[in-house]
Amino acid sequence: EAGMAIEAIKAADSDPRRVMGAAGDLPPSTNPLKAQHQYLSSLLDPSKPVVPGSETALAAVNEAYGILSDPQRLKEYEARQQAAARAARAARAEREASLLPTRRAEPDTPSHWG
């Protein structure tokens, strides 16, 4: 079970919502985020037999929980994500524009050539 959670956390690519989603479906709770954190923390507990990657996964879980449980950190995280997405779109548009064939300007035709 810990191995599957570790793989899901690795695949989450540092997205806090996807990291916490590695907990899967848990019973209903008044604080689902806290329940996910508690579940994943107990699953990846370093005092239990070591599963390769569990320390890194636990650090990712704690970081994700820290971001998602703090409104100010979440706002900053989302602003960074939006800025990165805008920069990626701009870079992609610039790259695509550089691949388009350039159009040569037509020489001016004197009006008396008619």
Side-chain angles (χ1 to χ4, degrees), residues 5 8-24 32-34 36-37 40 57-82:
I9 291 167
K10 284 181 186 176
D13 196 31
S14 300
D15 179 336
R17 290 179 180 90
R18 291 181 59 205
V19 167
M20 297 308 288
L33 180 61
K34 187 174 183 177
Q36 290 170 317
H37 181 254
L40 290 169
L58 182 58
V61 166
N62 288 331
E63 177 65 16
Y65 181 72
I67 291 169
L68 296 174
S69 63
D70 181 338
Q72 183 60 36
R73 283 186 70 190
L74 180 58
K75 184 178 178 180
E76 291 167 2
Y77 170 80
E78 289 175 341
R80 284 192 309 271
Q81 292 300 103
Q82 289 173 356

Side-chain angles (χ1 to χ4, degrees), residues 36-48 58:
Q36 290 170 317
H37 181 254
Q38 289 174 337
Y39 173 75
L40 290 169
S41 294
S42 68
L43 191 64
L44 302 169
D45 185 351
S47 67
K48 293 183 178 179
L58 182 58

Side-chain angles (χ1 to χ4, degrees), residues 91-102:
R92 186 173 47 249
E94 187 175 311
R95 192 171 47 254
E96 289 172 356
S98 72
L99 297 175
L100 293 175
T102 55

